[in-house]
Amino acid sequence: MDYCWVLSLFAFVVVVVVVSSVNAIGRVDNTSFYDNYHLTWGFDHALLTNQEKEIQLSIDTSSGSGFESNALYGSGFFHIRMKIPENNSSGVISTFYLSSTPSSSDHDEIDFEFLGNNGPPYTLHTNLYTNGQGAREQQFRLWFDPTKQFHSYNLLWNQYQIVFFVDNVPIRVFKNSTENGASYPSKPMHIVASVWGPSWTGHINWSQAPFQAHYQRFHVDGCVLNDYDIPKCYSSKYWWNNNNLWKLNPQQRGSYQNVRHNYLTYDYCSDRSRYPEPPPECQFNQ
Ligand SMILES: *[C@@H]1O[C@H](CO)[C@@H](O)[C@H](O)[C@H]1NC(C)=O
Ligand SMILES: *[C@@H]1O[C@H](CO)[C@@H](O)[C@H](O)[C@H]1NC(C)=O
Ligand SMILES: *[C@@H]1O[C@H](CO)[C@@H](O)[C@H](O)[C@H]1NC(C)=O
Ligand SMILES: *[C@@H]1O[C@H](CO)[C@@H](O)[C@H](O)[C@H]1NC(C)=O
Ligand SMILES: *[C@@H]1O[C@H](CO)[C@@H](O)[C@H](O)[C@H]1NC(C)=O
């Protein structure tokens, strides 16, 4: 019994170590912000530090701030490290997401949004748009304090699945189930990040400002795409398209089910007041 326990703990540690090193693919990230990104708004509310290996975005009553990738991508394993604002930041939203041309009415988008808080629980909001249609929200209660340290937030996007990871734990899966009538993101997307205070989140206590979010790790594992020929980005020469990433492995499935069971606080798939019938993709993403 004890022996088994030690053995499974050992196996878990091995898996975690292997998974983390695969994500970092043996590279120490020394990429500067400007190698892959540029600021898009709130230029005087952004501060690069640590030899441009880290950026701080602030929001106060005059402005928030944001950046995006120089390139558009058609697949990848997108990764950022992020620390969200401290203080009582209710009403402030910090984001990391992928988005095709946002103004178009048929845009695709894959979102991580941190809703500001008055202390725990800390809510991570996710959403996914295809052809301009969103309303696919899932929310999670985080099992750590995201304001205190940097944590990893990753998005895997290949032809088979989109997976949202928090510290390498898969929290959300969106499978390509187009054959069963669902839709799937298919447009080149920028990587975007921002700190802002949209009116719909309600009152912000500005006496607590400025609210500051920090981002690190500007290396990008993605397939650059300058046209709409997305199959180019499904090539097996990109490691995130390999068949070991077409679905969750058994260990990831275990973590995924654990998160859904213990930390999922809202799921559009089970909201019968909005969707009398669950949308077609729901049954494939369990
Ligand atoms: C990392 O980048 C900095 C400046 O951008 C440079 O001075 C340093 O030598 C680099 N370190 C490595 C290990 O490449
Ligand atoms: C934030 O708000 C909570 C609840 O309103 C309060 O208990 C806490 O002391 C506040 N923290 C700070 C740093 O103001
Ligand atoms: C989704 O999967 C189908 C095969 O089932 C494939 O033909 C299609 O290219 C994929 N779509 C996207 C947008 O990746
Ligand atoms: C706003 O923050 C200040 C300073 O911490 C606090 O005294 C005040 O009660 C807060 N206001 C509201 C409406 O929570
Ligand atoms: C909010 O947090 C920042 C960063 O930790 C700090 O510098 C600032 O003084 C805090 N503001 C208030 C009103 O507590």
Side-chain angles (χ1 to χ4, degrees), residues 84-85 89-95 112-119 121-126 138-140 142 146-147 198 200-201:
I84 70 164
S89 60
S90 286
V92 173
I93 294 190
S94 318
T95 66
F112 275 117
E113 295 189 344
F114 295 84
L115 306 187
N117 60 83
N118 274 323
Y122 296 97
T123 300
L124 172 56
H125 177 92
T126 63
Q138 288 186 353
Q139 289 188 352
F140 303 84
L142 291 172
T147 70
W200 57 264
T201 58

Side-chain angles (χ1 to χ4, degrees), residues 125-169:
H125 177 92
T126 63
N127 202 355
L128 193 146
Y129 288 73
T130 53
N131 297 316
Q133 195 224 317
R136 295 193 178 91
E137 301 88 351
Q138 288 186 353
Q139 289 188 352
F140 303 84
R141 176 170 56 88
L142 291 172
W143 50 93
F144 53 82
D145 180 345
T147 70
K148 288 286 182 286
Q149 259 125 28
F150 283 93
H151 289 268
S152 296
Y153 303 99
N154 303 349
L155 286 170
L156 168 67
W157 173 29
N158 61 33
Q159 187 181 357
Y160 300 93
Q161 61 175 355
I162 288 162
V163 184
F164 297 66
F165 293 89
V166 172
D167 289 336
N168 293 322
V169 175

Side-chain angles (χ1 to χ4, degrees), residues 39 105 112 114 137 159 178 250 252 267:
L39 292 166
S105 59
F112 275 117
F114 295 84
E137 301 88 351
Q159 187 181 357
T178 46
Q252 289 176 324
D267 184 0

Side-chain angles (χ1 to χ4, degrees), residues 45-61:
H45 284 63
L47 181 68
L48 281 151
T49 59
N50 189 16
Q51 294 186 304
E52 302 183 350
K53 306 295 184 297
E54 185 173 322
I55 194 167
Q56 171 189 292
L57 302 183
S58 299
I59 178 170
D60 58 22
T61 49

Side-chain angles (χ1 to χ4, degrees), residues 194-249:
S194 60
V195 174
W196 63 308
S199 54
W200 57 264
T201 58
H203 175 74
I204 296 176
N205 188 345
W206 291 113
S207 72
Q208 305 261 352
F211 303 100
Q212 294 156 346
H214 297 82
Y215 297 80
Q216 298 176 336
R217 203 203 188 257
F218 302 124
H219 175 77
V220 178
D221 287 308
C223 165
V224 174
L225 186 65
N226 293 314
D227 53 34
Y228 276 67
D229 189 11
I230 204 150
K232 282 196 286 208
C233 286
Y234 296 153
S235 159
S236 59
K237 76 179 180 198
Y238 301 115
W239 64 266
W240 50 88
N241 292 332
N242 288 346
N243 62 5
N244 62 330
L245 295 174
W246 292 1
K247 60 177 190 182
L248 300 185
N249 66 36

Side-chain angles (χ1 to χ4, degrees), residues 2 8 24 26 36 49-50 52 66 85 93 107-108 168 175 202 210 218 226 253 255 263 276 281 284:
D2 281 350
S8 40
N36 287 323
T49 59
N50 189 16
E52 302 183 350
I93 294 190
H107 87 294
D108 291 346
N168 293 322
K175 290 198 158 291
F218 302 124
N226 293 314
R253 274 211 75 75
S255 315
Y263 300 100
E281 69 272 12
F284 303 104

